[in-house]
Amino acid sequence: MVRLNLILALAVAGQVGLATTPSFFDVELPDENVAPGALVIAQVVGFTVPSGPNLVIAAIKVGNTYQTVSERVGGADVEYIEVRRNSETGPTVKRVTTATGLETSTGVTLGTPLSNNSFAPGAHRLYVLVKLKSAVSPGKKLQLGGTKITVGATDFSVNYTVSGGAAIFTVRIPDASFDTAPPGGNVYRGQRFLAARIVLDAKDLPFE
């Protein structure tokens, strides 16, 4: 009888472990141009906690995996990285102001201590926000393509199959050019006159 009870206990424990295995997936976001100094919603991670105990996240690791290394937004280009729960204005899980390694395979780990990191059964989302520095160079790219979530002592890779791949954010500034030169003419001392027209084209940038 003792042996039978032990076998049943092990079987139940195995079923519970299987049922509570989390699955994290990348929520599709459009590729966008962003301005220097922008606060970018760089990634949204969705997951569902099944019936049972709360799921407690221990750490989140993010990295810029854009294919051309020299064009990646690096840690020195970032003011802070922040993770919030369920919306871009929701409770903060973690914020780091040092993003060293963002552009490398090491990435940036947002770990202990975390806040608001216990999730009850149901559907949830994590919002990864990246605040760019105003001095970041135009043309740099940000793509969080290798995010991992740690639960307990286990790392879970975010699934990008549903979204078709992580969104790419390109740093852009308005294009400046001289308009047709105004007609010349004589002017007087102290006179105000139109010397040139400069056209700023910001159609490829979102309104901010």
Side-chain angles (χ1 to χ4, degrees), residues 37-88:
L39 179 60
V40 183
I41 302 175
Q43 186 174 32
V44 180
V45 177
F47 62 99
T48 298
V49 179
S51 299
N54 285 8
L55 182 145
V56 178
I57 290 177
I60 302 108
K61 178 183 175 182
V62 299
N64 188 356
T65 58
Y66 184 72
Q67 59 183 356
T68 306
V69 176
S70 61
E71 296 180 13
R72 292 176 182 173
V73 168
D77 301 318
V78 171
E79 188 173 321
Y80 65 81
I81 300 174
E82 185 175 66
V83 176
R84 290 178 176 264
R85 59 182 291 166
N86 295 333
S87 78
E88 65 268 31

mmCIF file of all heavy atoms in Angstrom, residues 37-88:
data_model
loop_
_atom_site.group_PDB
_atom_site.id
_atom_site.type_symbol
_atom_site.label_atom_id
_atom_site.label_comp_id
_atom_site.label_asym_id
_atom_site.label_seq_id
_atom_site.Cartn_x
_atom_site.Cartn_y
_atom_site.Cartn_z
ATOM 1 N N GLY A 37 16.265 59.700 -28.248
ATOM 2 C CA GLY A 37 15.620 60.105 -27.004
ATOM 3 C C GLY A 37 14.247 59.518 -26.784
ATOM 4 O O GLY A 37 13.624 59.764 -25.743
ATOM 5 N N ALA A 38 13.759 58.708 -27.722
ATOM 6 C CA ALA A 38 12.409 58.150 -27.610
ATOM 7 C C ALA A 38 12.353 57.034 -26.566
ATOM 8 O O ALA A 38 13.339 56.338 -26.309
ATOM 9 C CB ALA A 38 11.942 57.609 -28.958
ATOM 10 N N LEU A 39 11.168 56.871 -25.969
ATOM 11 C CA LEU A 39 10.879 55.714 -25.127
ATOM 12 C C LEU A 39 10.173 54.695 -26.009
ATOM 13 O O LEU A 39 9.053 54.938 -26.466
ATOM 14 C CB LEU A 39 10.008 56.104 -23.939
ATOM 15 C CG LEU A 39 9.612 54.969 -22.986
ATOM 16 C CD1 LEU A 39 10.841 54.319 -22.366
ATOM 17 C CD2 LEU A 39 8.673 55.478 -21.900
ATOM 18 N N VAL A 40 10.827 53.582 -26.269
ATOM 19 C CA VAL A 40 10.357 52.610 -27.257
ATOM 20 C C VAL A 40 9.739 51.396 -26.568
ATOM 21 O O VAL A 40 10.353 50.819 -25.662
ATOM 22 C CB VAL A 40 11.523 52.138 -28.157
ATOM 23 C CG1 VAL A 40 11.018 51.176 -29.227
ATOM 24 C CG2 VAL A 40 12.235 53.330 -28.783
ATOM 25 N N ILE A 41 8.521 51.035 -26.969
ATOM 26 C CA ILE A 41 7.970 49.736 -26.557
ATOM 27 C C ILE A 41 8.640 48.713 -27.459
ATOM 28 O O ILE A 41 8.195 48.431 -28.567
ATOM 29 C CB ILE A 41 6.440 49.683 -26.702
ATOM 30 C CG1 ILE A 41 5.788 50.787 -25.870
ATOM 31 C CG2 ILE A 41 5.908 48.317 -26.257
ATOM 32 C CD1 ILE A 41 4.287 50.880 -26.055
ATOM 33 N N ALA A 42 9.766 48.183 -26.988
ATOM 34 C CA ALA A 42 10.622 47.372 -27.836
ATOM 35 C C ALA A 42 10.138 45.932 -27.968
ATOM 36 O O ALA A 42 10.472 45.256 -28.947
ATOM 37 C CB ALA A 42 12.051 47.388 -27.291
ATOM 38 N N GLN A 43 9.359 45.464 -26.992
ATOM 39 C CA GLN A 43 8.854 44.089 -27.049
ATOM 40 C C GLN A 43 7.691 43.918 -26.095
ATOM 41 O O GLN A 43 7.628 44.564 -25.043
ATOM 42 C CB GLN A 43 9.956 43.084 -26.696
ATOM 43 C CG GLN A 43 9.545 41.621 -26.887
ATOM 44 C CD GLN A 43 10.691 40.668 -26.659
ATOM 45 O OE1 GLN A 43 11.580 40.914 -25.852
ATOM 46 N NE2 GLN A 43 10.685 39.557 -27.379
ATOM 47 N N VAL A 44 6.767 43.056 -26.501
ATOM 48 C CA VAL A 44 5.676 42.623 -25.625
ATOM 49 C C VAL A 44 5.710 41.095 -25.599
ATOM 50 O O VAL A 44 5.688 40.447 -26.650
ATOM 51 C CB VAL A 44 4.305 43.114 -26.119
ATOM 52 C CG1 VAL A 44 3.202 42.627 -25.173
ATOM 53 C CG2 VAL A 44 4.276 44.638 -26.227
ATOM 54 N N VAL A 45 5.803 40.546 -24.401
ATOM 55 C CA VAL A 45 5.855 39.089 -24.230
ATOM 56 C C VAL A 45 4.553 38.634 -23.586
ATOM 57 O O VAL A 45 4.169 39.133 -22.521
ATOM 58 C CB VAL A 45 7.055 38.677 -23.350
ATOM 59 C CG1 VAL A 45 7.047 37.163 -23.113
ATOM 60 C CG2 VAL A 45 8.362 39.114 -23.992
ATOM 61 N N GLY A 46 3.883 37.696 -24.218
ATOM 62 C CA GLY A 46 2.638 37.157 -23.675
ATOM 63 C C GLY A 46 2.855 35.783 -23.061
ATOM 64 O O GLY A 46 3.748 35.043 -23.460
ATOM 65 N N PHE A 47 2.035 35.448 -22.075
ATOM 66 C CA PHE A 47 2.085 34.111 -21.471
ATOM 67 C C PHE A 47 0.804 33.871 -20.680
ATOM 68 O O PHE A 47 0.098 34.813 -20.311
ATOM 69 C CB PHE A 47 3.317 33.930 -20.574
ATOM 70 C CG PHE A 47 3.379 34.857 -19.400
ATOM 71 C CD1 PHE A 47 2.986 34.446 -18.133
ATOM 72 C CD2 PHE A 47 3.846 36.163 -19.544
ATOM 73 C CE1 PHE A 47 3.049 35.298 -17.038
ATOM 74 C CE2 PHE A 47 3.923 37.024 -18.457
ATOM 75 C CZ PHE A 47 3.529 36.596 -17.204
ATOM 76 N N THR A 48 0.497 32.608 -20.461
ATOM 77 C CA THR A 48 -0.688 32.225 -19.696
ATOM 78 C C THR A 48 -0.269 31.347 -18.528
ATOM 79 O O THR A 48 0.485 30.381 -18.699
ATOM 80 C CB THR A 48 -1.699 31.471 -20.571
ATOM 81 O OG1 THR A 48 -2.132 32.334 -21.634
ATOM 82 C CG2 THR A 48 -2.913 31.041 -19.756
ATOM 83 N N VAL A 49 -0.744 31.702 -17.352
ATOM 84 C CA VAL A 49 -0.499 30.892 -16.159
ATOM 85 C C VAL A 49 -1.710 29.970 -15.972
ATOM 86 O O VAL A 49 -2.836 30.449 -15.820
ATOM 87 C CB VAL A 49 -0.310 31.778 -14.907
ATOM 88 C CG1 VAL A 49 -0.069 30.907 -13.677
ATOM 89 C CG2 VAL A 49 0.835 32.760 -15.119
ATOM 90 N N PRO A 50 -1.506 28.651 -16.007
ATOM 91 C CA PRO A 50 -2.634 27.723 -15.839
ATOM 92 C C PRO A 50 -3.130 27.686 -14.397
ATOM 93 O O PRO A 50 -2.541 28.295 -13.497
ATOM 94 C CB PRO A 50 -2.035 26.377 -16.259
ATOM 95 C CG PRO A 50 -0.576 26.518 -15.975
ATOM 96 C CD PRO A 50 -0.235 27.961 -16.225
ATOM 97 N N SER A 51 -4.207 26.970 -14.189
ATOM 98 C CA SER A 51 -4.757 26.829 -12.840
ATOM 99 C C SER A 51 -3.705 26.251 -11.905
ATOM 100 O O SER A 51 -2.942 25.355 -12.279
ATOM 101 C CB SER A 51 -5.978 25.907 -12.860
ATOM 102 O OG SER A 51 -6.991 26.458 -13.685
ATOM 103 N N GLY A 52 -3.674 26.768 -10.691
ATOM 104 C CA GLY A 52 -2.699 26.295 -9.726
ATOM 105 C C GLY A 52 -2.009 27.461 -9.049
ATOM 106 O O GLY A 52 -2.566 28.559 -8.961
ATOM 107 N N PRO A 53 -0.796 27.253 -8.604
ATOM 108 C CA PRO A 53 -0.082 28.318 -7.883
ATOM 109 C C PRO A 53 0.321 29.453 -8.813
ATOM 110 O O PRO A 53 0.365 29.300 -10.041
ATOM 111 C CB PRO A 53 1.143 27.595 -7.319
ATOM 112 C CG PRO A 53 1.358 26.445 -8.260
ATOM 113 C CD PRO A 53 -0.016 26.004 -8.683
ATOM 114 N N ASN A 54 0.615 30.591 -8.225
ATOM 115 C CA ASN A 54 1.105 31.730 -8.999
ATOM 116 C C ASN A 54 2.442 31.398 -9.650
ATOM 117 O O ASN A 54 3.223 30.592 -9.139
ATOM 118 C CB ASN A 54 1.281 32.956 -8.110
ATOM 119 C CG ASN A 54 -0.037 33.594 -7.739
ATOM 120 O OD1 ASN A 54 -1.106 33.051 -8.010
ATOM 121 N ND2 ASN A 54 0.034 34.753 -7.114
ATOM 122 N N LEU A 55 2.705 32.026 -10.780
ATOM 123 C CA LEU A 55 3.993 31.912 -11.450
ATOM 124 C C LEU A 55 4.850 33.108 -11.033
ATOM 125 O O LEU A 55 4.417 34.253 -11.154
ATOM 126 C CB LEU A 55 3.804 31.889 -12.974
ATOM 127 C CG LEU A 55 5.072 31.725 -13.820
ATOM 128 C CD1 LEU A 55 4.774 30.888 -15.056
ATOM 129 C CD2 LEU A 55 5.646 33.077 -14.238
ATOM 130 N N VAL A 56 6.039 32.834 -10.547
ATOM 131 C CA VAL A 56 6.933 33.895 -10.072
ATOM 132 C C VAL A 56 8.140 33.983 -11.006
ATOM 133 O O VAL A 56 8.894 33.019 -11.167
ATOM 134 C CB VAL A 56 7.400 33.628 -8.627
ATOM 135 C CG1 VAL A 56 8.358 34.730 -8.173
ATOM 136 C CG2 VAL A 56 6.195 33.541 -7.698
ATOM 137 N N ILE A 57 8.299 35.140 -11.617
ATOM 138 C CA ILE A 57 9.421 35.361 -12.530
ATOM 139 C C ILE A 57 10.628 35.826 -11.727
ATOM 140 O O ILE A 57 10.528 36.755 -10.912
ATOM 141 C CB ILE A 57 9.041 36.390 -13.607
ATOM 142 C CG1 ILE A 57 8.000 35.776 -14.561
ATOM 143 C CG2 ILE A 57 10.270 36.850 -14.393
ATOM 144 C CD1 ILE A 57 7.501 36.724 -15.625
ATOM 145 N N ALA A 58 11.771 35.184 -11.977
ATOM 146 C CA ALA A 58 12.989 35.505 -11.235
ATOM 147 C C ALA A 58 13.892 36.474 -11.994
ATOM 148 O O ALA A 58 14.644 37.229 -11.374
ATOM 149 C CB ALA A 58 13.764 34.227 -10.923
ATOM 150 N N ALA A 59 13.836 36.451 -13.332
ATOM 151 C CA ALA A 59 14.700 37.332 -14.117
ATOM 152 C C ALA A 59 14.209 37.397 -15.560
ATOM 153 O O ALA A 59 13.516 36.492 -16.037
ATOM 154 C CB ALA A 59 16.151 36.856 -14.086
ATOM 155 N N ILE A 60 14.577 38.484 -16.247
ATOM 156 C CA ILE A 60 14.299 38.651 -17.667
ATOM 157 C C ILE A 60 15.597 39.066 -18.342
ATOM 158 O O ILE A 60 16.252 40.019 -17.910
ATOM 159 C CB ILE A 60 13.217 39.731 -17.929
ATOM 160 C CG1 ILE A 60 11.918 39.386 -17.197
ATOM 161 C CG2 ILE A 60 12.959 39.885 -19.419
ATOM 162 C CD1 ILE A 60 11.631 40.262 -16.027
ATOM 163 N N LYS A 61 15.988 38.361 -19.392
ATOM 164 C CA LYS A 61 17.206 38.689 -20.127
ATOM 165 C C LYS A 61 16.837 39.160 -21.526
ATOM 166 O O LYS A 61 16.078 38.488 -22.234
ATOM 167 C CB LYS A 61 18.133 37.476 -20.218
ATOM 168 C CG LYS A 61 19.403 37.734 -21.025
ATOM 169 C CD LYS A 61 20.244 36.475 -21.152
ATOM 170 C CE LYS A 61 21.440 36.715 -22.064
ATOM 171 N NZ LYS A 61 22.247 35.485 -22.246
ATOM 172 N N VAL A 62 17.361 40.325 -21.925
ATOM 173 C CA VAL A 62 17.095 40.857 -23.256
ATOM 174 C C VAL A 62 18.418 41.173 -23.948
ATOM 175 O O VAL A 62 19.438 41.425 -23.295
ATOM 176 C CB VAL A 62 16.220 42.126 -23.206
ATOM 177 C CG1 VAL A 62 14.866 41.814 -22.584
ATOM 178 C CG2 VAL A 62 16.912 43.241 -22.423
ATOM 179 N N GLY A 63 18.392 41.164 -25.269
ATOM 180 C CA GLY A 63 19.586 41.496 -26.033
ATOM 181 C C GLY A 63 19.212 41.981 -27.418
ATOM 182 O O GLY A 63 18.176 41.588 -27.971
ATOM 183 N N ASN A 64 20.046 42.853 -27.967
ATOM 184 C CA ASN A 64 19.824 43.355 -29.320
ATOM 185 C C ASN A 64 20.472 42.382 -30.297
ATOM 186 O O ASN A 64 21.697 42.257 -30.355
ATOM 187 C CB ASN A 64 20.440 44.755 -29.471
ATOM 188 C CG ASN A 64 20.058 45.411 -30.800
ATOM 189 O OD1 ASN A 64 19.401 44.808 -31.640
ATOM 190 N ND2 ASN A 64 20.463 46.656 -30.970
ATOM 191 N N THR A 65 19.660 41.691 -31.084
ATOM 192 C CA THR A 65 20.151 40.640 -31.972
ATOM 193 C C THR A 65 20.096 41.042 -33.441
ATOM 194 O O THR A 65 20.162 40.174 -34.311
ATOM 195 C CB THR A 65 19.324 39.354 -31.766
ATOM 196 O OG1 THR A 65 17.932 39.638 -32.025
ATOM 197 C CG2 THR A 65 19.476 38.816 -30.353
ATOM 198 N N TYR A 66 19.970 42.340 -33.724
ATOM 199 C CA TYR A 66 19.923 42.754 -35.130
ATOM 200 C C TYR A 66 21.121 42.182 -35.876
ATOM 201 O O TYR A 66 22.233 42.140 -35.358
ATOM 202 C CB TYR A 66 19.904 44.281 -35.233
ATOM 203 C CG TYR A 66 19.760 44.762 -36.653
ATOM 204 C CD1 TYR A 66 18.550 44.624 -37.329
ATOM 205 C CD2 TYR A 66 20.842 45.325 -37.324
ATOM 206 C CE1 TYR A 66 18.427 45.040 -38.638
ATOM 207 C CE2 TYR A 66 20.718 45.747 -38.631
ATOM 208 C CZ TYR A 66 19.512 45.600 -39.292
ATOM 209 O OH TYR A 66 19.391 46.009 -40.599
ATOM 210 N N GLN A 67 20.884 41.739 -37.123
ATOM 211 C CA GLN A 67 21.865 40.924 -37.841
ATOM 212 C C GLN A 67 23.209 41.619 -38.077
ATOM 213 O O GLN A 67 24.263 40.974 -38.046
ATOM 214 C CB GLN A 67 21.285 40.477 -39.186
ATOM 215 C CG GLN A 67 20.887 41.619 -40.102
ATOM 216 C CD GLN A 67 20.253 41.134 -41.394
ATOM 217 O OE1 GLN A 67 20.179 39.932 -41.647
ATOM 218 N NE2 GLN A 67 19.797 42.065 -42.227
ATOM 219 N N THR A 68 23.217 42.931 -38.306
ATOM 220 C CA THR A 68 24.466 43.648 -38.537
ATOM 221 C C THR A 68 24.949 44.252 -37.220
ATOM 222 O O THR A 68 24.373 45.230 -36.730
ATOM 223 C CB THR A 68 24.297 44.749 -39.589
ATOM 224 O OG1 THR A 68 23.751 44.185 -40.786
ATOM 225 C CG2 THR A 68 25.629 45.410 -39.907
ATOM 226 N N VAL A 69 25.999 43.667 -36.658
ATOM 227 C CA VAL A 69 26.445 44.045 -35.316
ATOM 228 C C VAL A 69 26.792 45.523 -35.239
ATOM 229 O O VAL A 69 26.468 46.212 -34.257
ATOM 230 C CB VAL A 69 27.648 43.175 -34.891
ATOM 231 C CG1 VAL A 69 28.183 43.631 -33.539
ATOM 232 C CG2 VAL A 69 27.252 41.703 -34.843
ATOM 233 N N SER A 70 27.449 46.042 -36.261
ATOM 234 C CA SER A 70 27.903 47.436 -36.238
ATOM 235 C C SER A 70 26.749 48.432 -36.243
ATOM 236 O O SER A 70 26.934 49.601 -35.910
ATOM 237 C CB SER A 70 28.819 47.713 -37.430
ATOM 238 O OG SER A 70 28.128 47.511 -38.656
ATOM 239 N N GLU A 71 25.552 47.984 -36.609
ATOM 240 C CA GLU A 71 24.384 48.870 -36.679
ATOM 241 C C GLU A 71 23.477 48.747 -35.457
ATOM 242 O O GLU A 71 22.442 49.422 -35.375
ATOM 243 C CB GLU A 71 23.572 48.579 -37.948
ATOM 244 C CG GLU A 71 24.325 48.870 -39.243
ATOM 245 C CD GLU A 71 23.495 48.575 -40.471
ATOM 246 O OE1 GLU A 71 22.262 48.383 -40.341
ATOM 247 O OE2 GLU A 71 24.062 48.533 -41.574
ATOM 248 N N ARG A 72 23.852 47.926 -34.506
ATOM 249 C CA ARG A 72 22.992 47.711 -33.342
ATOM 250 C C ARG A 72 23.026 48.893 -32.371
ATOM 251 O O ARG A 72 24.078 49.494 -32.149
ATOM 252 C CB ARG A 72 23.426 46.460 -32.575
ATOM 253 C CG ARG A 72 23.199 45.152 -33.315
ATOM 254 C CD ARG A 72 23.749 43.986 -32.507
ATOM 255 N NE ARG A 72 23.589 42.727 -33.226
ATOM 256 C CZ ARG A 72 24.097 41.572 -32.821
ATOM 257 N NH1 ARG A 72 24.793 41.527 -31.690
ATOM 258 N NH2 ARG A 72 23.913 40.474 -33.534
ATOM 259 N N VAL A 73 21.865 49.208 -31.806
ATOM 260 C CA VAL A 73 21.827 50.087 -30.641
ATOM 261 C C VAL A 73 22.554 49.369 -29.518
ATOM 262 O O VAL A 73 22.258 48.208 -29.211
ATOM 263 C CB VAL A 73 20.369 50.394 -30.232
ATOM 264 C CG1 VAL A 73 20.318 51.054 -28.860
ATOM 265 C CG2 VAL A 73 19.690 51.281 -31.265
ATOM 266 N N GLY A 74 23.536 50.041 -28.917
ATOM 267 C CA GLY A 74 24.325 49.411 -27.869
ATOM 268 C C GLY A 74 23.945 49.897 -26.489
ATOM 269 O O GLY A 74 23.128 50.817 -26.325
ATOM 270 N N GLY A 75 24.553 49.298 -25.498
ATOM 271 C CA GLY A 75 24.268 49.681 -24.125
ATOM 272 C C GLY A 75 24.557 51.143 -23.853
ATOM 273 O O GLY A 75 23.850 51.796 -23.070
ATOM 274 N N ALA A 76 25.580 51.689 -24.506
ATOM 275 C CA ALA A 76 25.937 53.092 -24.303
ATOM 276 C C ALA A 76 24.915 54.044 -24.916
ATOM 277 O O ALA A 76 24.933 55.245 -24.619
ATOM 278 C CB ALA A 76 27.320 53.362 -24.898
ATOM 279 N N ASP A 77 24.035 53.524 -25.770
ATOM 280 C CA ASP A 77 23.014 54.349 -26.429
ATOM 281 C C ASP A 77 21.706 54.393 -25.641
ATOM 282 O O ASP A 77 20.750 55.045 -26.067
ATOM 283 C CB ASP A 77 22.704 53.794 -27.831
ATOM 284 C CG ASP A 77 23.930 53.761 -28.722
ATOM 285 O OD1 ASP A 77 24.704 54.734 -28.698
ATOM 286 O OD2 ASP A 77 24.115 52.747 -29.435
ATOM 287 N N VAL A 78 21.660 53.684 -24.514
ATOM 288 C CA VAL A 78 20.401 53.487 -23.787
ATOM 289 C C VAL A 78 20.453 54.165 -22.424
ATOM 290 O O VAL A 78 21.423 54.012 -21.672
ATOM 291 C CB VAL A 78 20.118 51.970 -23.615
ATOM 292 C CG1 VAL A 78 18.950 51.726 -22.676
ATOM 293 C CG2 VAL A 78 19.852 51.344 -24.976
ATOM 294 N N GLU A 79 19.392 54.897 -22.110
ATOM 295 C CA GLU A 79 19.292 55.555 -20.798
ATOM 296 C C GLU A 79 18.812 54.575 -19.734
ATOM 297 O O GLU A 79 19.325 54.543 -18.626
ATOM 298 C CB GLU A 79 18.339 56.742 -20.900
ATOM 299 C CG GLU A 79 18.294 57.622 -19.675
ATOM 300 C CD GLU A 79 17.468 58.877 -19.897
ATOM 301 O OE1 GLU A 79 17.552 59.447 -20.999
ATOM 302 O OE2 GLU A 79 16.741 59.275 -18.976
ATOM 303 N N TYR A 80 17.804 53.771 -20.088
ATOM 304 C CA TYR A 80 17.357 52.712 -19.174
ATOM 305 C C TYR A 80 16.519 51.692 -19.923
ATOM 306 O O TYR A 80 16.025 51.947 -21.029
ATOM 307 C CB TYR A 80 16.574 53.269 -17.978
ATOM 308 C CG TYR A 80 15.250 53.942 -18.297
ATOM 309 C CD1 TYR A 80 14.081 53.210 -18.513
ATOM 310 C CD2 TYR A 80 15.160 55.331 -18.345
ATOM 311 C CE1 TYR A 80 12.877 53.841 -18.779
ATOM 312 C CE2 TYR A 80 13.962 55.969 -18.614
ATOM 313 C CZ TYR A 80 12.818 55.220 -18.832
ATOM 314 O OH TYR A 80 11.620 55.842 -19.106
ATOM 315 N N ILE A 81 16.415 50.510 -19.329
ATOM 316 C CA ILE A 81 15.511 49.455 -19.806
ATOM 317 C C ILE A 81 14.565 49.138 -18.668
ATOM 318 O O ILE A 81 14.978 48.999 -17.516
ATOM 319 C CB ILE A 81 16.281 48.188 -20.228
ATOM 320 C CG1 ILE A 81 17.275 48.511 -21.358
ATOM 321 C CG2 ILE A 81 15.314 47.089 -20.670
ATOM 322 C CD1 ILE A 81 18.161 47.333 -21.729
ATOM 323 N N GLU A 82 13.302 49.016 -18.998
ATOM 324 C CA GLU A 82 12.280 48.809 -17.964
ATOM 325 C C GLU A 82 11.289 47.745 -18.418
ATOM 326 O O GLU A 82 10.926 47.691 -19.593
ATOM 327 C CB GLU A 82 11.558 50.136 -17.718
ATOM 328 C CG GLU A 82 10.547 50.118 -16.589
ATOM 329 C CD GLU A 82 9.992 51.518 -16.360
ATOM 330 O OE1 GLU A 82 9.300 52.044 -17.262
ATOM 331 O OE2 GLU A 82 10.250 52.085 -15.290
ATOM 332 N N VAL A 83 10.867 46.909 -17.486
ATOM 333 C CA VAL A 83 9.828 45.911 -17.757
ATOM 334 C C VAL A 83 8.613 46.232 -16.899
ATOM 335 O O VAL A 83 8.742 46.431 -15.682
ATOM 336 C CB VAL A 83 10.322 44.476 -17.468
ATOM 337 C CG1 VAL A 83 9.186 43.469 -17.656
ATOM 338 C CG2 VAL A 83 11.504 44.118 -18.369
ATOM 339 N N ARG A 84 7.456 46.318 -17.551
ATOM 340 C CA ARG A 84 6.197 46.548 -16.836
ATOM 341 C C ARG A 84 5.227 45.401 -17.134
ATOM 342 O O ARG A 84 5.349 44.721 -18.144
ATOM 343 C CB ARG A 84 5.576 47.888 -17.245
ATOM 344 C CG ARG A 84 6.366 49.095 -16.736
ATOM 345 C CD ARG A 84 5.756 50.402 -17.194
ATOM 346 N NE ARG A 84 6.443 51.563 -16.641
ATOM 347 C CZ ARG A 84 6.061 52.221 -15.563
ATOM 348 N NH1 ARG A 84 4.984 51.817 -14.900
ATOM 349 N NH2 ARG A 84 6.742 53.268 -15.125
ATOM 350 N N ARG A 85 4.263 45.222 -16.251
ATOM 351 C CA ARG A 85 3.333 44.116 -16.421
ATOM 352 C C ARG A 85 1.985 44.588 -16.956
ATOM 353 O O ARG A 85 1.429 45.595 -16.507
ATOM 354 C CB ARG A 85 3.145 43.322 -15.127
ATOM 355 C CG ARG A 85 2.637 44.099 -13.938
ATOM 356 C CD ARG A 85 2.536 43.216 -12.706
ATOM 357 N NE ARG A 85 1.479 42.205 -12.818
ATOM 358 C CZ ARG A 85 1.366 41.152 -12.014
ATOM 359 N NH1 ARG A 85 2.241 40.963 -11.044
ATOM 360 N NH2 ARG A 85 0.381 40.298 -12.170
ATOM 361 N N ASN A 86 1.515 43.887 -17.979
ATOM 362 C CA ASN A 86 0.165 44.002 -18.547
ATOM 363 C C ASN A 86 -0.116 45.259 -19.351
ATOM 364 O O ASN A 86 -1.081 45.301 -20.105
ATOM 365 C CB ASN A 86 -0.899 43.808 -17.465
ATOM 366 C CG ASN A 86 -0.863 42.390 -16.908
ATOM 367 O OD1 ASN A 86 -0.449 41.458 -17.594
ATOM 368 N ND2 ASN A 86 -1.268 42.229 -15.661
ATOM 369 N N SER A 87 0.706 46.311 -19.257
ATOM 370 C CA SER A 87 0.572 47.474 -20.144
ATOM 371 C C SER A 87 1.844 48.296 -20.031
ATOM 372 O O SER A 87 2.646 48.099 -19.110
ATOM 373 C CB SER A 87 -0.648 48.329 -19.788
ATOM 374 O OG SER A 87 -0.394 49.139 -18.672
ATOM 375 N N GLU A 88 2.023 49.241 -20.962
ATOM 376 C CA GLU A 88 3.234 50.063 -20.919
ATOM 377 C C GLU A 88 3.246 51.039 -19.755
ATOM 378 O O GLU A 88 4.274 51.651 -19.439
ATOM 379 C CB GLU A 88 3.430 50.820 -22.239
ATOM 380 C CG GLU A 88 2.368 51.845 -22.552
ATOM 381 C CD GLU A 88 1.230 51.271 -23.382
ATOM 382 O OE1 GLU A 88 0.930 50.071 -23.251
ATOM 383 O OE2 GLU A 88 0.643 52.037 -24.168
#
